[in-house]
Each structure stands twice: as structure tokens, then as C-alpha cells.
Amino acid sequence: MRAKQIPISIAARLIYHLGEQLISDELVALLELIKNSYDADATRCMVKVDSTAETPYGLGLITIADNGNGMLPHTVENDFLRLATDYKKVNKVSPHYKRRTLGEKGLGRLSYQRLGRFVQVRTVPRIERVRQIMSPDDERAIMVDGVNCIDITMDWDGFSDSDDISSVYATVEEKHIGNVKCGTLITIQGIRNSNFWKLSVEKRRRLQDEILALINPFAESKNNAAFNLELDVNGEKFLIDSIDESVVDQLSDVSCHFSFDGCWLTLEAEFKEKYVTRQKERYLKESKDKGFSVICDTFETSAKYHQSFKVNLSDENTWETRCQLTKHSVSLIDGRPAIDFVFDGSMYVVDKLSANRTDIDKNIIEESLFVQKNFRRIGDLWNRIAGVYMYRDQFRILPYGKDDWLGLTQRSQKGKATILKQGNVSGYVHLNGEKSESIREQTNRQGILEDEYGSNFLTILDKIIVEQLFEWDKAVRSSFTAPKLDSDDKIFWNADKTIGFQYYEAVEQKYETIDAKLESTLQKAKKVSTESSLSLFDAEDLKKEVYQLATDVSAFKKVSSDLQKDYQQKLSLTEGKLSEYTEIIPLLGQTLIIETATHELNRIYSNLAQYTSDLSKCSNAFAESIPQLAQIVLLFRKEIAGLDMQLNHIMPTQRYKLKDVQDIDMASFFAKQYVEESAVTKRLEKAHIKCLILGSSFTVKASIGNLIVIFDNLVMNAEYWLDKNDVAKKEIYFECAFGNIVRVWDSGLGISKEIENTLFEPFHTMKRDGRGLGLYIAQELLSLMGSTIKLLDERNSYGNRYKFEIAFQER
């Protein structure tokens, strides 16, 4: 018996297996070769497929020509002709344009074998670009021997499957040729699957989506780093039409531009006048259909809306406050935000309902050849360019594009009536390849790797940029909320009181009066007209009665119309309330569960209090042997006292308690709930927030439970924003004033202008995880009590409205 070491050999057929498993089909193989041209700093790549051409190696010819850097002799031998090298993993950035290289596995050469039988490659290096990576052998070959061109040939059918892979050779000739063009020319003869290149509708779509859509169509034509691809398949030419971004901007209703430099995030958006005007026209039409007649209109569309936002994301405190990302913490590495990347981008939005009916302006058609060749209506253009695509330099990162990867439609449905939905949005996110190496793609090339860097990158896009754009759109549309009755002047107003609608007061009584008068006039007219003989005076009376009848009919018609509008108004308001209540119904189930749980907590509290008392007695007997037992009992008592406070605060808000109406002194109420020791004051003390009571007290007839719900909402809002905005002096004020008025405010920044007009609408909130129901519920409870709440127009030093006024019904 003897042992010997035998080297492991590999059969040449492995190349075929690898090619079939790693390169799934001809399009994928072609894509890999196009990527090689991109990695080589080419600005132009021309691909031609002729599946009917006759060659010495069979039917079919493919050529791929680029004007890139070419390859050096050392690169050809040690990287190009060697599978699975780490060349592109080491050389992550291209030498000239500093593109982040797309290939990493070193398996692109298998694409040649997948596509055809015989391969010829002519490569001419651009010395001025690749000089820094030249080896001594390269310098000798180029500078001494004068080599300026390398020809490589590979005959994939020239060896047997059973041959060892070491016996598979490529022929390499180093030459000197005059007037040679720099770059690489690949010629593949004898196409393996010529039927693949007979393009069906499905293959054309794949070609468009997987090859042509890989290049950023918004790339500026003046940018000499742009990568232009031309593709010819059996005489059918496919070109990447670059879209003039200024044209898309002109046609859009909303445009948004953003950039991030590894520290500062800048975001700008313009909601164009045509968009705001269309929103207003739609609003007025819907209001008219519901019986609302405009009596005053001071709304200015031209004054709206340009928004901007800039924040330093390297400061975690700023990240939390300015971005309004409540605890949407950024991932850290070594205690610092993992945001070492650079990107920019734009999004353009249209209202597709309008865009499908709107012709593109003649001047724009003449301005853009791309538009001129393909489109006549704005909607047609958006059908082609819709989607937010992601690119590293000018090359696409899959799969981001047509799919709604930013969750636009879901947000749109939640936000109601916003145009920011999939199909309406076109745009791109552009990663700087050289400065964003930290952003890596998954090994299957299907998305960003969500490590700390990738997670932060996607968070910035999703939780800051897109979310802020939605908030701004909500602010634009905030004026167009359902008309609400102003109890002071009997006018229905929109949210910011720039459009007033008629209020039909006591119209039913007026209708009945005119109806009775009309009936009386009709009876008189009938009586006169049925007389057997008419004197001159009778005829004159009949004439007067007929004239009066016509007058009464006209008045009846008008008041009938007013009555109809009055009913439409009431129906609209009722439907609005039903809609609001319908959305709140799911929360009622939670309320019932909480109410049951509160009863159970009371039972547990009683038992715990008794057990703690028993434990306290026992601890006396073991005081010396177990000294820490007394401390544990003390902690138990403290927690139980805290639970008692919470239950005492909650119990009055239980459903059966809300009917207990009594006289309540407001100053005493505020003192007990928010100043003296209570569940709320304990929480406020931890946040270093102080409550102050001002003015002269008065008495209100109400349920303590309702008042707790109303004022707890105001206090919790103040507490949230005082803590979030890190205000130095944290105070909440309750002022009791003449006329049963209570004013509540705090020392914080005040109410954001984006939401000040829709503050009491359900589901309108600036809190990231908020429901936007607190103030709505407070308003509804006060309404049931015959009282009102409003945000006063007075502004604080930050320029924001900040003071709430509650007017209780006077007794």
C-alpha cells in the first residue's frame, strides 16, 4: 500500500456548466459584455446582432465595439484570460471617469462561450488613461517593442469536453498597427442559439427593460462621462433616447430635487400654479355639487408653493428633530452615523387624469426631438418614463424602477387624493460611484445590501425625502378640506378661510311660507278664471292675480333651489361625518378592550396592595436576617402607588362615567390633574416640564372624564414637541379668562405652518407614529357639550401659531 498526492484537475466541460448556470440566457450574457465596456470608461458602445450572417464557424455574427480604455498585455494574460479573478474587486473605480465598476466575480468571460463558438477580441489601450496601472512588462512591451494592439482568439469548439481545462488555450498576438482606434472590438462568430434573436413582443419588452433601461435616460448629453448604447438586432435598431430633463420639468405638476453629500441633505420641491389651480377648480366643482355656493374667494394660487429643506444628518440630534423622524434612529458604526455616501436625484409628478387629456405644448414638441418623435399627450410620455430608477453613475441598479419600491401608492391611499402615486411619478436616484463604495449591491444583483450603510441610504430616501414630499403635498391640499360652518358669522369656510360658501339659514320655514302663498294665489286665479262672465274690472283683477302668480312661482323656484342646496349641504356634512366616524370605528374595539382591562387592573391592584401589606408584616420578622427585604417592600409600595395614580386618572374616562355631569371649577381641575401629584405630573416631571395656571377661574358643567380626554390630548401634544425639539424652558400654560374661555399653550416652537389649517381634521398629524385623532376627538367632545376649540391667529417668536382657545358654553 502506498499514498501519493494527485493534483485535482478540472474537465473543460465545466466552462459550459458554469456558462449555463451563471449566465441564464443570451440577454444576460450580452449585458455582462456591455458592463465590461462601461467599466472600461467607454462613452459609446455599439452592439450588432446578425443571426443570418454566414461565417466560417456557422450561422450568426455578433459584434460589440466600444471606445473605452482597452487592455494592457498584463491585464489580458492575468485577468481577462483567467476566470474568477479579483481584478474588479481590487480596482473598484475606473481609472478615467472614476465609475464604480459593475463586475466583481470575474465570470464575464463565460458570456462569450454562451453567445457563440468562435471569439475574436481586438483591444487597443489608451496609454494616457491606464499608465498608472502599467506593470514593468507592459512598459517594456509598449515603450520598447511598440505594441499598441492585442488580438485574442478563442475557439470554444476547438477542444473536447473530456479535455483538461489546462489544455484550453487562447491565442494572443501583440502587434503594432498604424491608425488604430483605442477601445475594444469583440467579434463572435457562429451564434449558438440563433432563434433567440428572433424578437417577439415579449423579447422586445425584455430588451427595453433589461438592456436599454440600464442607462440613465436623464443623463445630460453635455456630460462626456455619459454612456451611450446603440443596439442593432437583425437590422432593427434600438437607441437610448436621452430625455431632456428640463422638458419633463416643464410638463410636470410637481418637481422635486434632492442631494446628499455625506453630511448635508438638501431637498427642494415646487408645487406648480397649474397644479394648485386644478386642485382649486376640482374643489369648487365638488363643493357646488354638494350645494355650496361661493360668496367670497381670496385664495391666491400664484402664492403657492415652493418648499425647501436642509439638514445635517451627521448630527444625530438634528436627524431626530429637523427630520421629524420620531426615534427612526440611524444605524451607527463605531458610534457615528453610517452615512459615508453621496447621491442626488429628482422626481417629477403629474396628475395622470389630467395628463391623459392634455396635449403637449407645440413649443415643447419643437424643443425636444425625443418628445417630437414619440408623444403628443403628457400622459403618453409618463407611461414611458414612469417609475423612480436608481443608478450608480449612469448604470442602473436593479430592480428599482417601475415597481413601487418607495411605497408611493400605499402612502397616497392613506393621504387621500394626493397625486404622489405610482404611475404619476418619474425620476431617478443617482449614486456617485467613486464616493459611495459603502453602498453595495446584493450578490444576486437584485437590490441594495441592507447593511448599516444601505439601510441608512434607503431610510433617507423613504423616511425623509419621500415622507417630506408627502407632507408638503398635504400642506398644499390643506386649503381644500370639506367646508366647515363658522358659528360666528354663519358662513361655510375652507380650512384657511380663503373661500367662503353660502349658509342657507331657516330656508325650510321660508319655503313653507312661499309654498302657502303660492297655493293661495293659485286658488284665487282659479276662482276668477272660472266665472261665467267677466267684467272689465274682473279681467283687470285676473291680470293682477296672474302677475302675482308668476312672481310667486319665480320666488318658489328660487327658494326650492335654495332648499335643495340646503339639503345637499346637510347631506354632505353628514356624509363627511360618517366617513370620519367609519375610519375611527376600528379604534372603538380597542377602547372596549382597554375598558375591560382597566377593570381587571383594578382587581389586580387591590390584590397587590393586600399582598404587599402581608409581605410588609412578614418582613418585620426577618428584618435582621434579610435587611434588603424592607427595601423591596418599599419599592413594591412605590410602584403600587403609581398604578393607583394611573387608575384614578383613567377611571373617570370610562364610558359609564362620562354621563356623570357635575360642576367643575376649572383652575382646581387643572391643578389636580397637571400641577399637583398625579399620573400626568409624574410623567411631566421626568421630562422636566412644568405646568402653570393663569387668570381667574370659572365653573363648567361637564363630565370630568370628557375634560381629562380633551386636556390630556393638548398636554400630550405639548409634551411630545417640547421633548422632541429640546426646548430649554419647558412650560405648559392654562389660562382661565372671562366668558368661560380657557387658553392653552406651551413654550415650544408652536404649530407647523404645514398643518395649522387642518389641525382638527382626522388623520392629519406631524407625528411620525401619530394617528392624528387627538384634537379631532377633543373638538367632537366639545361640540357635544355645545363648546368649541380653535387655534388662535396669534403667532409666537418662531412665527408659528401656538395658542388654543376653548370656549365653554355659558350657563
Side-chain angles (χ1 to χ4, degrees):
M1 301 290 288
R2 60 195 180 94
K4 60 179 179 178
Q5 290 186 322
I6 300 175
I8 296 173
S9 61
I10 301 174
R13 66 197 301 264
L14 178 65
I15 292 177
Y16 292 103
H17 287 310
L18 287 173
E20 289 174 359
Q21 292 180 22
L22 297 175
I23 312 294
S24 57
D25 65 18
E26 280 70 8
L27 270 188
V28 175
L30 190 60
L31 173 59
E32 290 299 320
L33 298 182
I34 292 169
K35 283 181 179 179
N36 285 344
S37 293
Y38 177 83
D39 289 346
D41 282 324
T43 59
R44 188 179 183 190
C45 179
M46 293 175 289
V47 180
K48 186 174 182 179
V49 179
D50 185 350
S51 61
T52 62
E54 294 184 3
T55 76
Y57 298 91
L59 206 62
L61 177 69
I62 298 174
T63 61
I64 302 163
D66 70 46
N67 63 347
N69 299 331
M71 290 183 283
L72 294 164
H74 179 271
T75 309
V76 170
E77 183 176 347
N78 294 283
D79 297 297
F80 180 73
L81 294 177
R82 184 176 175 82
L83 295 179
T85 66
D86 63 353
Y87 177 78
K88 289 185 180 178
K89 201 167 185 179
V90 173
N91 299 280
K92 296 179 179 180
V93 178
S94 66
H96 186 62
Y97 290 126
K98 306 302 179 185
R99 294 171 176 166
R100 177 68 164 80
T101 52
L102 301 170
E104 282 186 2
K105 297 185 178 68
L107 296 172
R109 269 73 78 202
L110 297 173
S111 298
Y112 298 124
Q113 180 271 330
R114 178 80 193 202
L115 290 171
R117 297 179 176 84
F118 186 80
V119 179
Q120 291 174 301
V121 179
R122 168 162 287 185
T123 185
V124 179
R126 290 183 183 270
I127 303 304
E128 71 278 9
R129 292 188 183 178
V130 297
R131 187 179 297 276
Q132 69 267 32
I133 60 171
M134 287 172 61
S135 70
D137 289 340
D138 291 331
E139 288 190 21
R140 188 165 41 254
I142 293 167
M143 303 303 179
V144 178
D145 300 335
V147 172
N148 68 350
C149 173
I150 304 170
D151 283 344
I152 309 160
T153 57
M154 291 176 281
D155 185 355
W156 292 111
D157 285 349
F159 57 86
S160 168
D161 286 0
S162 60
D163 289 344
D164 192 84
I165 198 167
S166 61
S167 66
V168 178
Y169 289 90
T171 302
V172 179
E173 293 183 71
E174 297 178 356
K175 302 177 179 180
H176 178 83
I177 300 175
N179 298 322
V180 69
K181 291 183 179 180
C182 294
T184 300
L185 171 64
I186 301 167
T187 305
I188 302 173
Q189 300 180 56
I191 292 176
R192 292 193 184 278
N193 184 5
S194 58
N195 286 332
F196 182 88
W197 300 104
K198 293 176 183 177
L199 298 180
S200 62
V201 172
E202 182 182 349
K203 283 179 184 173
R204 280 188 181 85
R205 188 179 296 113
R206 270 197 66 199
L207 197 66
Q208 184 70 43
D209 291 345
E210 296 182 26
I211 301 292
L212 300 180
L214 286 165
I215 313 300
N216 186 351
F218 288 103
E220 293 183 13
S221 56
K222 294 179 182 178
N223 182 359
N224 60 6
F227 183 72
N228 300 293
L229 175 63
E230 298 176 23
L231 181 60
D232 181 325
V233 180
N234 292 322
E236 188 174 350
K237 290 180 169 52
F238 298 86
L239 298 175
I240 299 218
D241 286 308
S242 62
I243 302 168
D244 189 334
E245 198 167 346
S246 66
V247 168
V248 178
D249 194 347
Q250 287 180 65
L251 295 175
S252 67
D253 292 320
V254 180
S255 61
C256 169
H257 309 284
F258 49 87
S259 64
F260 181 67
D261 63 3
C263 181
W264 285 95
L265 173 67
T266 303
L267 175 61
E268 294 184 343
E270 182 183 359
F271 296 82
K272 300 179 182 177
E273 185 174 349
K274 59 182 177 180
Y275 169 56
V276 181
T277 300
R278 200 159 54 241
Q279 291 287 103
K280 178 186 175 183
E281 289 172 350
R282 190 177 297 164
Y283 173 68
L284 292 179
K285 182 182 182 305
E286 290 174 354
S287 299
K288 182 180 178 182
D289 292 342
K290 293 174 181 178
F292 295 96
S293 301
V294 176
I295 56 175
C296 64
D297 182 356
T298 60
F299 184 88
E300 295 182 16
T301 55
S302 60
K304 304 175 184 288
Y305 285 98
H306 182 86
Q307 298 279 13
S308 62
F309 175 88
K310 189 170 184 178
V311 61
N312 182 356
L313 296 186
S314 63
D315 181 345
E316 193 175 358
N317 293 325
T318 307
W319 175 284
E320 290 292 335
T321 56
R322 281 292 309 280
C323 299
Q324 297 170 351
L325 287 174
T326 313
K327 303 306 176 189
H328 257 299
S329 59
V330 53
S331 297
L332 306 177
I333 294 180
D334 297 330
R336 297 185 62 189
I339 52 175
D340 186 17
F341 43 79
V342 174
F343 69 87
D344 58 60
S346 297
M347 283 187 274
Y348 301 98
V349 192
V350 296
D351 181 346
K352 282 291 287 292
L353 287 175
S354 173
N356 288 335
R357 299 190 298 264
T358 306
D359 291 335
I360 298 174
D361 186 86
K362 241 187 253 184
N363 293 330
I364 292 179
I365 290 176
E366 291 172 5
E367 180 183 336
S368 171
L369 183 62
F370 173 69
V371 173
Q372 192 179 109
K373 287 190 302 182
N374 298 286
F375 312 105
R376 285 293 174 269
R377 289 194 168 180
I378 297 175
D380 298 332
L381 171 60
W382 247 257
N383 287 337
R384 167 79 72 87
I385 66 174
V388 180
Y389 294 81
M390 190 183 295
Y391 300 91
R392 191 187 295 277
D393 292 330
Q394 300 304 328
F395 225 84
R396 185 178 166 199
I397 299 175
L398 296 171
Y400 310 104
K402 289 282 185 188
D403 291 342
D404 192 7
W405 61 278
L406 286 171
L408 299 170
T409 298
Q410 183 180 2
R411 277 188 175 94
S412 172
Q413 290 169 347
K414 182 181 176 182
K416 295 180 181 179
T418 174
I419 65 168
L420 297 167
K421 63 185 74 171
Q422 188 70 4
N424 291 1
V425 182
S426 171
Y428 61 91
V429 179
H430 164 246
L431 270 165
N432 182 298
E434 184 181 10
K435 297 178 181 179
S436 302
E437 288 187 29
S438 60
I439 303 296
R440 297 181 295 161
E441 295 169 55
Q442 297 179 37
T443 54
N444 62 0
R445 301 287 188 183
Q446 289 299 305
I448 296 295
L449 181 66
E450 294 192 38
D451 56 8
E452 290 87 350
Y453 292 103
S455 176
N456 286 343
F457 169 60
L458 295 173
T459 293
I460 292 171
L461 291 171
D462 179 30
K463 304 298 184 186
I464 302 181
I465 293 174
V466 172
E467 198 67 33
Q468 187 64 60
L469 192 58
F470 269 84
E471 290 299 331
W472 284 338
D473 184 58
K474 281 163 62 176
V476 170
R477 295 182 292 108
S478 66
S479 298
F480 308 120
T481 55
K484 295 288 176 68
L485 185 62
D486 189 310
S487 57
D488 295 335
D489 50 18
K490 299 295 184 183
I491 295 178
F492 286 100
W493 289 104
N494 68 331
D496 58 6
K497 290 197 171 184
T498 54
I499 304 174
F501 300 90
Q502 183 173 357
Y503 172 65
Y504 296 95
E505 188 174 16
V507 71
E508 287 185 63
Q509 184 179 349
K510 189 176 180 182
Y511 174 87
E512 291 170 1
T513 301
I514 293 180
D515 181 41
K517 186 178 180 184
L518 177 61
E519 182 62 31
S520 172
T521 305
L522 277 170
Q523 294 303 324
K524 287 180 185 178
K526 283 180 182 177
K527 183 179 178 182
V528 174
S529 62
T530 54
E531 296 288 338
S532 56
S533 62
L534 291 173
S535 67
L536 182 61
F537 295 106
D538 291 331
E540 198 60 35
D541 286 343
L542 179 59
K543 183 179 177 182
K544 288 178 181 177
E545 294 298 334
V546 170
Y547 177 79
Q548 185 61 48
L549 180 62
T551 303
D552 290 348
V553 167
S554 177
F556 183 78
K557 185 178 178 182
K558 183 183 182 307
V559 79
S560 295
S561 174
D562 288 348
L563 182 63
Q564 183 183 9
K565 288 177 181 177
D566 175 40
Y567 284 144
Q568 285 175 327
Q569 281 183 350
K570 290 175 180 175
L571 180 61
S572 171
L573 295 173
T574 303
E575 288 175 346
K577 286 293 179 190
L578 285 173
S579 175
E580 291 171 359
Y581 293 152
T582 300
E583 295 189 59
I584 295 169
I585 282 172
L587 298 176
L588 297 179
Q590 295 180 28
T591 305
L592 293 173
I593 293 170
I594 290 169
E595 190 169 298
T596 303
T598 304
H599 288 295
E600 185 64 15
L601 283 172
N602 268 308
R603 184 189 66 78
I604 294 170
Y605 163 74
S606 297
N607 290 339
L608 282 175
Q610 182 60 52
Y611 299 153
T612 303
S613 177
D614 295 342
L615 184 62
S616 178
K617 294 174 184 176
C618 294
S619 70
N620 294 330
F622 297 95
E624 292 184 8
S625 58
I626 313 177
Q628 65 267 37
L629 191 58
Q631 181 65 25
I632 293 171
V633 172
L634 188 63
L635 292 173
F636 263 105
R637 287 189 182 282
K638 184 178 178 182
E639 292 299 324
I640 290 170
L643 178 60
D644 184 35
M645 282 185 184
Q646 290 287 354
L647 289 171
N648 286 334
H649 189 72
I650 293 172
M651 286 307 294
T653 68
Q654 299 295 292
R655 186 164 37 99
Y656 67 93
K657 290 274 189 181
L658 294 177
K659 296 177 182 178
D660 295 344
V661 176
Q662 55 187 289
D663 289 332
I664 300 171
D665 181 84
M666 292 307 297
S668 299
F669 170 80
F670 293 135
K672 182 179 180 181
Q673 300 297 330
Y674 308 114
V675 177
E676 298 167 3
E677 190 173 13
S678 70
V680 177
T681 53
K682 288 287 185 185
R683 191 179 71 241
L684 293 177
E685 282 173 11
K686 288 182 181 179
H688 307 292
I689 297 172
K690 185 178 181 182
C691 291
L692 301 171
I693 304 169
L694 310 174
S696 301
S697 187
F698 57 85
T699 302
V700 168
K701 199 171 190 66
S703 153
I704 288 181
N706 278 339
L707 292 184
I708 287 174
V709 172
I710 291 163
F711 288 101
D712 267 18
N713 273 303
L714 293 171
V715 168
M716 284 189 291
N717 283 341
E719 178 187 1
Y720 175 89
W721 292 110
L722 285 171
D723 179 59
K724 183 171 177 54
N725 294 318
D726 198 22
V727 177
K729 182 183 178 183
K730 299 180 180 181
E731 294 180 339
I732 301 173
Y733 303 91
F734 300 94
E735 180 188 26
C736 299
F738 176 76
N740 283 12
I741 299 291
V742 170
R743 298 186 185 95
V744 182
W745 71 94
D746 62 67
S747 58
L749 304 186
I751 306 300
S752 169
K753 293 181 179 67
E754 295 176 22
I755 201 171
E756 65 179 18
N757 293 324
T758 55
L759 202 56
F760 298 102
E761 297 287 329
F763 307 103
H764 283 244
T765 181
M766 294 294 286
K767 294 180 184 177
R768 176 66 53 187
D769 299 318
R771 286 197 178 101
L773 288 173
L775 290 174
Y776 170 76
I777 290 170
Q779 177 183 251
E780 293 300 299
L781 285 175
L782 285 164
S783 177
L784 291 173
M785 296 163 58
S787 306
T788 61
I789 180 171
K790 64 183 177 180
L791 180 65
L792 297 180
D793 292 332
E794 181 182 342
R795 296 189 181 273
N796 59 17
S797 59
Y798 300 100
N800 295 322
R801 293 161 69 184
Y802 70 106
K803 193 175 287 188
F804 291 92
E805 182 176 276
I806 298 167
F808 286 102
Q809 187 179 45
E810 294 196 46
R811 302 172 66 183

